[in-house]
Every structure is written in structure tokens, then in C-alpha cells.
Amino acid sequence: MSSHIIRSNLTEWFNKRYMGGFRSKRHGTEYFHAETQTLTPQEIRAETSGEKFHRDTQTKFWRNRRNQANQERATQMTKTGCYVTSETDVECEPQPYVTADEFHEIKVGKAIIIQCFMRQVFARQSAKRLREERERRIKAMAEANKRRIILSEKKRLKEIESRLHPKTTKDFEILYSGLENWRIQETSRINSMQYSEPARLAALADLLDQESALLQKIDRLKIAANDENRENAVMASPKRWPCSDDSIVLVDTPNTIRARELRDLYHALNLPLLSVDERLQILLHVKYTVKEFDCNLTREIVELIDREGDLVSRGRSAASLEGLRKRISNLFLQFIRTPEFNPEAASHQKASMPDSGQSWKRDAAVYYCRGCTRYKPSTDFYLSTTMKHLGKCKDCTMKENVATQRKDDSSYGDMLKLIRIQETIKRKSSGVPSDMAYNAMALLQESDMRYMVDVIWNHKSAISGSRNMEELILTRWNPDHELSPWNCILLTKAEAATHDRRPDPAELYSAEFMQKITQKHLLARQHFGELPVMANYLKHLYVEDRDGKLVPRVMQAS
């Protein structure tokens, strides 16, 4: 039996080496030598260790034990037979004793100091936010004011341009309206000057002469505008396609390219001070362009071009050819306006009439004008909800207006356009009705706006009484309902902005003022509600409540 000590690493698993032994002949049992028969370290650890697979293996147990602190063991003092050095001793003086209440007061005081500093931080952060908000508001107000100034300046320049160089019918209506206002003011001034009867009549006659001279000037401007519009009638503008980012994309089509080529030829045909060779080259180009089509118009143009070319080659002066060139220009403009030769012209033409040499269109609405006694399409008439029948066309109505009243409805048209844009924006967040294009304001025209502003609201703001048409606007009386003649109020733009911020008008106005507004709504409902179109609209989308007020069906159902 070996006597040396076995040293094994229990962290490693190993097998003992075989050192021999013997087998019992009686029982057949094998016996090994002493080292081989001893237990391995793993077997010893398995026998001595506790049970591993048990629920208490991961359980935490608390043990309370008393220990002697190091400080208390070192409190031995010097005495007989024991010496303790005092070189490292420190003398400590006791401080005043602090009770629990005093300590609590100290903590409260320190907490108050911390609160003061924290409130100071919060106040500084709040002040910083307020300053930033104020700066943003001031910046937004400055930008809005700048935009307003730019828009007013553009509008003023546009008005000056429209007065100096009128081009459209609205521009001439503004001129005639301004002339009529000037005539009324001058007549009132002459009648109030207390002239004698002969002097007053002489002043009025002088005023009449000035009015006649101004009318002649306006007529000359109208003739010049007609000539300019006639030259600009060539349809050569590219197609304008709006994009999702509010930008406009210009697209040229084969029709617009063809129209642009014809426009350039027309302008070249009317250029003055050209040499003989340049003129002959332009005539040749026009001739080849019109010869692509064979009809009476093109044959006449070719004949006139040949005649001018012959006369120019013989040395005739430009003054003697002025009439011939004017005739060629007019015929070529007629060629450009014909859809068979210029397809782009088809989208700019009106419906064909019986007296134009073309066939009737079965689906074209044609009405009789009582002024010029001619049949014209419905687009040539002014339509209004107050109309019971179509009387006179636009041309006859404009001539009658120039001869008698000289009213200007452009400001009412601008107000109606602005109202429709604002109402479209508001209706996106409102639930009545779902169709954006079908609403009460879409059924009204400029004449209806004139009646609402001048008759129902007396052409002044309901609050301040301002009569400046540029500042007046119709807005919703009840913000929850759509804008209509029976749910509106005439205010200035600043007053309308304040009014729209209040959800309930009762919080902003007195009972007497609200009663006055209700009376105006009743007048508007009585005037517009009797019309067939408006009555049908009211029947489908409105219902009366217990108080007799019109309430949208969606709001009433909810």
C-alpha cells in the first residue's frame, strides 16, 4: 500500500491510472491496489456536498450576527501598567445639540431654498418660451404686414394700369363708374355754390362738355383695347398643369406649337418698315402655309398675296399698299381663328349660332335677347338667383349700364370670390354638406352680392359702420354653420378675424345687437328663399328648429 499523499485538483475531471491487482478465484471479484481503489475527487465532492437539484438552492436566507466594531476595540486609555500614546489624538469640541424638531426645521428651510432655485429655473424657462413666442408673433405680424403692403401696392398698381390702359370689360366698367361718381360730385358742387341761374346752367354745360370729352377718350381706349385683344386672340399659350406642390408646369402640345407658328407669321405680316426682300419672303411663307388647305378663304389669301407681290416688284410705295396689306392681315387672322386650320382655336370659340353660317347644336341652350333681338347662347347672359327670365344679353346690359347708371360690380365680384375661397377652406373641417362646390354662396352672383351688401346690410359694417368697400367682408354669424345669406354678418376684415375666434356669438354681442342681426337674416331668407334654386337647396340641406331658425340636417341629426 502506497504511503504518499494524493494531491488532486478538484476542478478537473480525471481517471486514476491502473496499477495492477488480483482476482478472487472463489467469488470472481477483481481487487486493485490501494491508490486505484481510493475514491476520486469528484466522487468525494459528490458525497460530501448537499443536494443540488432542489428549490432552496436559489433561495436567499437572512442571517443576523453581532460584530464588534474596530473603533470600540481601540478605546483603551492609559492606566497603571498600560501606556497608550496620544500623539495622534484629536481634540473635538461638542457642537450645540440639535433636537428632532430643529433638525426638521433645518431640512424644511433647505427644501425651501431648493424650491426657490427650482422655481427660478422654471421661471427663466417660461420667460424664455414667452420671449420666443413673442418674437415669433412679432415676426409673423411683420411678415403679414409686409405681405399686406405688397398686395395693396400690387393692387394699387394694377388699378392704375387698368385705368391708364384698360383691356377688359371690368376695366371699362370701373372707368365708367369713376366718371359717373365724378359727374355726381361736380353736379353737387355746382348746385351748392349758390350761383345765379345763368351761371349755374353755364357751369353744368361746361361739365357736360368735359363729360363728353372723357367719354370720347374712353371710347378711343376701348377701340385700342379691342385691336390689342384682337391681335392677342391667337391661341398660342401652352397648357398650364397644376402640380401637388402648388406649382405650374407649362406643357406644349402639337396644337399649341401650330398656333404659335401661325401667331409668329401673323406678327411678321404686320411688321412695318421692312425691305422688299423681307416682305416678299414673309408673303411667300404665308402663301405656302395657307395653300395646305383648299377653300375660298385660302384661295382669296393666295390671290391677294400674289397681287401684293406683283405690285411690290413694280416699285409701288408702301402707302399705296396699306389697304391691301390690311386686308391680307384680316383674312389671315380669320384663317388662324378657324378650327379646321388651327385646332387650338376650337377651345376658345363660343357656341355656334344660326346666323354664323353653321349648323345648330341640339345640346346648345339658346335664348332670345330683348335688347338686340338676337338669339344667343346662355353664356352671353348674366345669370342671377333673383331672375325669373333672361332679359338682355351681356352686351346690351353693359351698354344700358354705360348709358344710364354706370354701376361697377367689380368690388362685389372680388368680395364674392374671396368669400368662396374662405368658405372652401372652412368647409374642409366642417361636416355640412360634403360637396364643396354645392353651397349657398356658389348659387349667388355679383348682383345678389350687391343686394346683400347695399340693401340688407346698408353698405356698412354692422359693428363700426365703416363703408370702405375694400375692407368689408361677409363672414359666418354662427361658425358651426355654413356661410349663407341667413347666416352671415358684414364686418371689416379686422372685426371678422375677432368674430371668427369666438365659437358662440352670444358671448361677444348684446341681446339687442343679436336681435338686429336676426332681423337681417330673416330679410335675407325671405328674399332668397323664394327663388326656386335656393328653395330646392334649403329643402334638401336645411330644416327649421323649434325657434324657427334654419339648421343644417347634419347638425340637427347629430
Side-chain angles (χ1 to χ4, degrees), residues 57-92:
T57 302
Q58 301 295 331
T59 305
K60 182 178 181 181
F61 296 95
W62 290 92
R63 297 289 186 268
N64 295 326
R65 294 180 181 179
R66 295 182 179 181
N67 295 324
Q68 184 69 25
N70 296 329
Q71 185 68 20
E72 294 179 355
R73 289 194 305 174
T75 56
Q76 179 65 47
M77 305 300 294
T78 302
K79 65 178 183 177
T80 304
C82 181
Y83 171 75
V84 179
T85 180
S86 59
E87 293 181 356
T88 58
D89 291 352
V90 179
E91 296 181 2
C92 297

Side-chain angles (χ1 to χ4, degrees), residues 172 176 217-227 398 402:
F172 286 102
Y176 284 121
K217 186 175 181 180
I218 294 176
D219 290 337
R220 288 194 296 269
L221 291 174
K222 186 181 294 186
I223 293 173
N226 290 334
D227 294 339
M398 185 179 64
V402 171

Side-chain angles (χ1 to χ4, degrees), residues 268-279 282 325:
L269 197 61
N270 294 325
L271 288 177
L273 304 177
L274 294 177
S275 63
V276 176
D277 295 337
E278 293 174 345
R279 181 66 182 179
I282 293 173
R325 291 177 176 177

Side-chain angles (χ1 to χ4, degrees), residues 58 128 147 386 502:
Q58 301 295 331
K128 182 180 179 180
R147 287 195 302 268
T386 58
R502 295 298 181 92

Side-chain angles (χ1 to χ4, degrees), residues 171-188:
D171 295 341
F172 286 102
E173 286 183 359
I174 294 174
L175 286 180
Y176 284 121
S177 177
L179 177 62
E180 181 65 15
N181 294 333
W182 172 79
R183 186 190 65 81
I184 293 174
Q185 292 178 1
E186 291 296 319
T187 303
S188 301

Side-chain angles (χ1 to χ4, degrees), residues 353-366:
M353 290 293 100
D355 54 355
S356 62
Q358 301 180 7
S359 60
W360 282 80
K361 291 186 177 180
R362 296 180 180 271
D363 55 346
V366 180

Side-chain angles (χ1 to χ4, degrees), residues 188-410:
S188 301
R189 184 183 63 81
I190 292 173
N191 293 331
S192 62
M193 293 298 291
Q194 297 181 356
Y195 288 141
S196 60
E197 189 64 18
R200 188 180 70 85
L201 293 177
L204 291 176
D206 187 19
L207 177 62
L208 182 60
D209 293 338
Q210 295 180 16
E211 182 183 2
S212 301
L214 292 175
L215 286 174
Q216 292 176 1
K217 186 175 181 180
I218 294 176
D219 290 337
R220 288 194 296 269
L221 291 174
K222 186 181 294 186
I223 293 173
N226 290 334
D227 294 339
E228 185 177 357
N229 293 334
R230 181 185 178 187
E231 293 181 358
N232 295 332
V234 183
M235 293 63 64
S237 300
K239 303 296 183 181
R240 301 172 62 88
W241 290 356
C243 300
S244 58
D245 56 351
D246 297 335
S247 61
I248 301 296
V249 177
L250 303 179
V251 180
D252 278 327
T253 62
N255 293 339
T256 57
I257 295 174
R258 166 73 176 178
R260 189 176 300 113
E261 293 175 355
L262 295 177
R263 180 199 62 185
D264 296 340
L265 275 179
Y266 178 75
H267 289 166
L269 197 61
N270 294 325
L271 288 177
L273 304 177
L274 294 177
S275 63
V276 176
D277 295 337
E278 293 174 345
R279 181 66 182 179
L280 290 176
Q281 186 177 1
I282 293 173
L283 291 175
L284 189 62
H285 197 173
V286 174
K287 179 180 178 180
Y288 288 151
T289 301
V290 300
K291 283 186 68 175
E292 297 177 1
F293 307 92
D294 187 14
C295 63
N296 294 331
L297 178 61
T298 57
R299 285 194 293 268
E300 186 176 1
I301 294 175
V302 171
E303 181 182 354
L304 294 178
I305 289 175
D306 293 338
R307 185 184 305 175
E308 183 182 353
D310 182 56
L311 295 176
V312 168
S313 62
R314 295 186 181 188
R316 295 294 297 270
S317 61
S320 61
L321 300 175
E322 183 177 357
L324 179 60
R325 291 177 176 177
K326 190 69 175 177
R327 187 178 175 185
I328 295 175
S329 176
N330 293 337
L331 290 177
F332 188 67
L333 181 59
Q334 184 179 351
F335 174 85
I336 294 174
R337 290 179 175 178
T338 306
E340 288 78 2
F341 311 137
N342 182 15
E344 188 66 18
S347 60
H348 297 267
Q349 286 189 347
K350 299 180 181 179
S352 59
M353 290 293 100
D355 54 355
S356 62
Q358 301 180 7
S359 60
W360 282 80
K361 291 186 177 180
R362 296 180 180 271
D363 55 346
V366 180
Y367 298 95
Y368 178 74
C369 176
R370 301 184 181 184
C372 58
T373 65
R374 298 178 62 186
Y375 286 95
K376 293 187 175 182
S378 59
T379 55
D380 287 349
F381 291 84
Y382 286 111
L383 302 179
S384 174
T385 55
T386 58
M387 278 186 169
K388 296 183 179 180
H389 57 80
L390 294 177
K392 299 179 180 180
C393 62
K394 292 182 180 180
D395 295 336
C396 297
T397 304
M398 185 179 64
K399 292 177 182 178
E400 182 181 1
N401 182 35
V402 171
T404 56
Q405 298 179 352
R406 298 175 184 171
K407 295 187 300 183
D408 176 26
D409 292 338
S410 60

